[in-house]
Amino acid sequence: MTTVPRELLERMFKAAVEAAQPAHRIAPFLPAPPKGRTLVIGAGKASAAMAQALERHWTTPLTGLVVTRYGYAVPCERIRIVEAAHPVPDAAGLAVARRMLELVQGLGEDDLVICLVSGGGSALLPLPGEGVTLEDKQAINRALLASGAGITEMNCVRRHLSGIKGGRLAAACHPARVVNLLISDVPGDDPIDIASGPTVADPSTCADALAIVRRYGLVLPPAAQRLLESGAGETVKPGDPRLARVTTHLIASPQMALEAAAQVARAAGITPLILGDSIEGEAREVARVMAGIALQVRRHGQPLAPPCVLLSGGETTVTLRGGGRGGRNVEFLLALALALGEPAGSGPAIHALAADTDGVDGAEEVAGAFMAPHTLARARANGMRPRDSLDDNDAHSFFASLGDSLVTGPTLTNVNDFRAILIA
Amino acid sequence: MTTVPRELLERMFKAAVEAAQPAHRIAPFLPAPPKGRTLVIGAGKASAAMAQALERHWTTPLTGLVVTRYGYAVPCERIRIVEAAHPVPDAAGLAVARRMLELVQGLGEDDLVICLVSGGGSALLPLPGEGVTLEDKQAINRALLASGAGITEMNCVRRHLSGIKGGRLAAACHPARVVNLLISDVPGDDPIDIASGPTVADPSTCADALAIVRRYGLVLPPAAQRLLESGAGETVKPGDPRLARVTTHLIASPQMALEAAAQVARAAGITPLILGDSIEGEAREVARVMAGIALQVRRHGQPLAPPCVLLSGGETTVTLRGGGRGGRNVEFLLALALALGEPAGSGPAIHALAADTDGVDGAEEVAGAFMAPHTLARARANGMRPRDSLDDNDAHSFFASLGDSLVTGPTLTNVNDFRAILIA
């Protein structure tokens, strides 16, 4: 390999983020201007940036209302950007959900609604179904999380207790044309799972939701139970005529970001292997598995021969034990260094990058970090104890002290985590 | 795929175990009978079975002494099989180590020593270096395990505090010819790491061991510290003339077992991908990562297109929380089912097998189990709660109740865990 490993890894990460940039990804999917009005709505962490990109490409009049997370607003001239709480909904989110449903009332066949949806939109657009309170929904959420139900099952129950999710917002736009532009951060990229699908049809039913409630022995608040049993919580189904004029485009996804990074690797003569766009698990344990695969490359040339790069996306978790400065990507990376151990005397070297594509790994404005064969040795020479840093969840301090942090600033998009392990 | 998935998975596992069977693997590596005496020594969980296989193929006179774990003895006619404690050494192991060193005294150039080494041999052949007690070694072991040192570092310290490891047993055989036959269960398959290498040269030094002691801030008992500082604990180095007549053959390894399974898959038209022969990590977290990779195959045809099988070996760990009947392989398998969730409406089905190649996963005589797309649904229909079973570390009960346990009886070999995830 003639390229410097760290530079190559950084180029891969930048390509991944670029592939998910609203500024690049909005224009190709914009419809022709309508005869009537153009209304822009949306919700999610990347949705303000999507609105800004749309405004720059849209030449005819438009109005709009988009909600994003506190701190994620960007300047827009014609679309009103509102901030609300994530991941626990607040009154600001509730107010904007009501306002958005009002805005889409009375549209005509010649009108166009462009809906900009991205990860986080579910919490940012909370509207409990009839009789259900925000507190009820929070209690149901806690019970679901503790039940062992899968994310798909949890989302099914949530959608049927909502007044805006599961296609209801799109149905309210009828008879206007609706164009959905989605940035996915969910495993499987199913539109119904992105922000709980406010503007797409939902094949699941109240009966499905009730079956899940029974399966996990959940006890719902009476109003919620009534909503499901009476069928009043039914979502908008595929084939519903009110959704006949809805079209949906996935404009960015973790997989697209990984493919962009893979292309950079190929151009540098490195074989990419995409292991998964939605790898989950405790960060330090995911690191041990990835280390095992990387060492297999070095020892046996499997699952593929070096020079190669193992790419993966998705969202790991960190069970906090210490009080340090960390994030799931740098925790992964420090655990990876420890699992790989000291560099082998011979054989290809292993370098890695792990970062959050939104530019924020954990609580601070650091996207992630780089790991190299001598990371542990350099740290020990500086008087650090890598294992203690990991136990204290202090990986940001660890990599910062080595000058190996990756700082990008907010990227204005989010296709989840990015991990690249280069064996070359 | 025309084959029944479960049958195919079982054939792959059987091929993996067969590839590691002493009965098949000993004969090709046996040397010609010597002019002088033939002495067989050995230590490890598979070493009694190795001795039995050797006896069956050896036509000229021989004597021998081999130590294995309590319960792992098999009938031998000419080689004496002794049982001792594993993983914490006992007096029986200490006595057999002393006896083995005595046995190899006074051999001549025309004599042959065949040394049968397999996993577990380190604990089964404990002989502390001069002045160090068995209690000292146990205390050092505990300190090493808590220090964060890697396995290679821990083994380095241990070898330099031993009176028999790190080539010392082979040096004691000098000037006889020594043929090592090894079954590996360690990451990397380095002979010095299998049973702490009693009969192979050790490139590491007392100075290396002292550096590790300092690196992790360990406090050694005075006799142990003296052994390292005086250089009296030095092991036998590569190039030492006493090892000039030692030859070493790796007769079975996790990788060879995986390759055998891969061959079965290929013959059935399924593409195998070996992810690693030494994957480590908490069993349920390893399962989540493997589920992510399997779902990537289904959704994106990456890292390879179905029909395919993801193969891996190595040793996962289970942090006990519950009081159920489990083992690391069935815990992995149940967590895999939960991570995969309910089967997708379309796309290839996912079946899996996870088992210990020694036939014993956890504490009972069950090797592992099978998982199929409807495993969770069948269990729920039987009134079980899969998440609760996992939380109670009760995966053996879970799979037994479905009739999906895999029972082989003791296999008389050990190349660690075997996992196969079939997407077809």
Side-chain angles (χ1 to χ4, degrees):
Chain A
M1 197 176 56
T2 53
T3 323
V4 177
R6 181 166 167 158
E7 283 174 15
L8 179 61
L9 288 166
E10 188 161 7
R11 277 199 285 130
M12 285 191 245
F13 176 66
K14 284 187 171 164
V17 172
E18 281 298 294
Q21 273 301 339
H24 307 316
R25 302 295 304 158
I26 286 278
F29 296 97
L30 288 179
K35 273 199 231 163
R37 293 175 51 202
T38 300
L39 178 65
V40 178
I41 56 176
K45 288 194 263 182
S47 295
M50 293 166 85
Q52 188 186 59
L54 187 153
E55 273 195 355
R56 287 180 182 165
H57 290 96
W58 197 261
T59 50
T60 60
L62 65 79
T63 57
L65 173 65
V66 164
V67 59
T68 192
R69 192 183 185 180
Y70 288 116
Y72 284 57
V74 293
C76 284
E77 289 177 13
R78 296 180 280 171
I79 300 166
R80 189 176 156 224
I81 306 295
V82 175
E83 292 181 323
H86 178 278
V88 180
D90 67 358
L94 188 61
V96 78
R98 289 201 175 110
R99 178 80 191 111
M100 208 174 283
L101 274 175
E102 286 164 17
L103 270 181
V104 301
Q105 299 299 321
L107 293 172
E109 285 196 9
D110 290 339
D111 297 330
L112 169 69
V113 179
I114 303 178
C115 187
L116 309 173
V117 179
S118 57
S122 189
L124 295 167
L125 213 58
L127 189 64
E130 199 176 329
V132 181
T133 65
L134 204 57
E135 290 69 34
D136 285 344
K137 285 203 80 170
Q138 287 166 352
I140 294 164
N141 256 346
R142 278 192 297 271
L144 280 168
L145 286 169
S147 72
I151 182 70
T152 308
E153 294 170 318
M154 290 196 275
N155 284 342
C156 174
V157 174
R158 287 170 181 155
R159 280 195 303 273
H160 289 89
L161 299 174
S162 164
I164 193 166
K165 313 289 171 60
R168 289 184 182 87
L169 181 56
C173 296
H174 179 78
R177 187 177 166 211
V178 175
V179 173
N180 287 316
L181 304 181
L182 314 182
I183 296 183
S184 169
D185 68 338
V186 300
D189 303 323
D190 190 335
I192 197 67
D193 289 324
I194 306 170
S196 292
T199 50
V200 296
D202 177 17
S204 73
T205 63
C206 279
D208 294 331
L210 279 170
I212 294 162
V213 166
R214 274 194 301 273
R215 183 178 305 157
Y216 295 100
L218 298 170
V219 179
L220 296 185
Q225 185 75 23
R226 256 194 319 274
L227 209 56
L228 298 185
E229 286 178 355
S230 69
E234 208 51 88
T235 50
V236 185
K237 297 289 161 275
D240 187 299
R242 292 171 297 170
L243 302 192
R245 301 191 69 212
V246 175
T247 52
T248 298
H249 302 284
L250 186 66
I251 69 165
S253 70
Q255 179 69 14
M256 292 179 202
L258 293 170
E259 296 278 13
Q263 195 47 47
V264 170
R266 265 182 225 109
I270 308 291
T271 316
L273 193 73
I274 300 179
L275 290 170
D277 67 355
S278 48
I279 299 290
E280 299 174 306
E282 180 76 20
R284 66 181 66 195
E285 300 295 324
V286 176
R288 295 176 72 187
V289 178
M290 292 293 173
I293 300 174
L295 290 172
Q296 182 78 0
V297 172
R298 184 151 77 187
R299 287 176 193 147
H300 298 291
Q302 291 172 333
L304 76 172
C308 65
V309 62
L310 306 174
L311 297 169
S312 63
E315 189 170 318
T316 63
T317 44
V318 171
T319 304
L320 283 179
R321 276 163 268 215
R325 297 165 42 220
R328 57 183 190 255
N329 286 286
V330 287
E331 173 123 341
F332 165 86
L333 205 60
L334 176 52
L336 181 72
L338 284 161
L340 290 170
E342 306 300 328
S346 63
I350 302 179
H351 293 76
L353 178 158
D356 194 313
T357 55
D358 71 1
V360 180
D361 184 39
E364 39 194 313
E365 299 269 310
V366 181
F370 297 95
M371 186 216 79
H374 294 286
T375 293
L376 295 186
R378 284 176 57 221
R380 291 202 183 99
N382 284 2
M384 304 190 68
R385 292 167 164 266
R387 176 73 54 181
D388 292 352
S389 294
L390 181 63
D391 287 347
D392 197 28
N393 303 120
D394 197 31
H396 272 318
S397 309
F398 178 88
F399 288 106
S401 81
L402 296 173
D404 288 344
S405 295
L406 172 64
V407 178
T408 59
T411 63
L412 303 183
T413 191
N414 176 23
V415 283
N416 238 321
D417 297 343
F418 176 88
R419 295 175 291 273
I421 305 174
L422 179 66
I423 306 113
Chain B
M1 197 179 52
T2 53
T3 323
V4 177
R6 181 166 167 158
E7 281 173 16
L8 179 61
L9 287 166
E10 187 163 7
R11 278 199 286 128
M12 284 191 244
F13 176 67
K14 283 187 172 165
V17 172
E18 280 298 295
Q21 274 300 338
H24 307 316
R25 302 295 305 158
I26 287 278
F29 297 97
L30 289 179
K35 271 199 232 166
R37 293 175 51 201
T38 299
L39 177 65
V40 177
I41 57 177
K45 288 193 263 181
S47 295
M50 294 166 86
Q52 188 186 58
L54 187 152
E55 273 195 356
R56 287 179 181 165
H57 289 97
W58 197 261
T59 50
T60 60
L62 65 78
T63 57
L65 173 65
V66 163
V67 59
T68 193
R69 192 183 186 180
Y70 288 116
Y72 284 57
V74 292
C76 284
E77 290 179 12
R78 295 180 282 170
I79 300 166
R80 190 178 156 220
I81 306 295
V82 175
E83 293 182 324
H86 178 279
V88 180
D90 68 356
L94 188 62
V96 78
R98 289 202 175 109
R99 179 79 190 114
M100 206 174 283
L101 272 176
E102 286 164 17
L103 270 181
V104 300
Q105 299 299 320
L107 294 172
E109 285 196 8
D110 290 338
D111 297 331
L112 168 68
V113 179
I114 303 178
C115 187
L116 308 173
V117 179
S118 57
S122 189
L124 295 168
L125 214 57
L127 189 65
E130 199 177 329
V132 181
T133 65
L134 204 57
E135 292 69 35
D136 285 344
K137 285 201 81 169
Q138 287 167 350
I140 295 164
N141 256 346
R142 279 191 298 270
L144 281 168
L145 286 169
S147 72
I151 181 70
T152 309
E153 295 171 319
M154 290 197 275
N155 283 343
C156 174
V157 174
R158 287 170 182 156
R159 279 196 303 274
H160 289 89
L161 299 175
S162 164
I164 193 165
K165 313 288 170 61
R168 289 184 184 87
L169 181 57
C173 296
H174 179 78
R177 187 175 167 209
V178 175
V179 173
N180 287 316
L181 304 181
L182 313 182
I183 296 183
S184 170
D185 68 339
V186 299
D189 303 324
D190 190 335
I192 198 66
D193 289 325
I194 305 170
S196 293
T199 50
V200 296
D202 177 17
S204 73
T205 63
C206 278
D208 294 332
L210 278 170
I212 293 162
V213 167
R214 274 193 302 271
R215 182 178 305 157
Y216 294 99
L218 299 170
V219 178
L220 296 184
Q225 186 75 22
R226 255 194 320 273
L227 210 55
L228 298 184
E229 285 178 355
S230 68
E234 207 52 87
T235 51
V236 185
K237 298 288 162 274
D240 188 301
R242 291 170 297 170
L243 302 191
R245 302 190 69 210
V246 176
T247 53
T248 299
H249 303 284
L250 186 66
I251 68 165
S253 70
Q255 179 68 13
M256 293 180 202
L258 294 170
E259 296 278 11
Q263 195 47 46
V264 170
R266 263 182 226 109
I270 308 290
T271 317
L273 193 72
I274 300 179
L275 290 170
D277 66 355
S278 47
I279 299 289
E280 299 175 305
E282 180 75 20
R284 66 181 67 196
E285 301 294 325
V286 176
R288 295 176 72 187
V289 178
M290 292 293 173
I293 300 174
L295 290 172
Q296 183 77 1
V297 171
R298 184 151 75 188
R299 287 176 194 146
H300 299 291
Q302 290 172 334
L304 77 172
C308 65
V309 61
L310 306 174
L311 296 170
S312 62
E315 189 169 319
T316 63
T317 44
V318 172
T319 304
L320 283 178
R321 278 164 267 216
R325 296 166 42 219
R328 58 183 190 255
N329 285 286
V330 286
E331 173 122 341
F332 164 87
L333 204 61
L334 177 52
L336 181 72
L338 284 161
L340 290 169
E342 306 301 327
S346 62
I350 302 180
H351 293 76
L353 177 158
D356 193 313
T357 55
D358 71 2
V360 180
D361 184 39
E364 40 194 311
E365 300 269 309
V366 181
F370 297 94
M371 186 216 80
H374 294 286
T375 292
L376 295 185
R378 284 176 58 222
R380 291 203 182 99
N382 284 2
M384 304 190 68
R385 294 167 163 266
R387 175 73 54 180
D388 293 352
S389 293
L390 182 62
D391 287 346
D392 196 29
N393 302 120
D394 197 31
H396 272 318
S397 309
F398 178 88
F399 288 107
S401 82
L402 296 172
D404 288 344
S405 296
L406 173 63
V407 178
T408 60
T411 64
L412 303 183
T413 190
N414 176 23
V415 284
N416 237 321
D417 297 343
F418 176 88
R419 295 176 291 273
I421 305 173
L422 179 65
I423 307 112

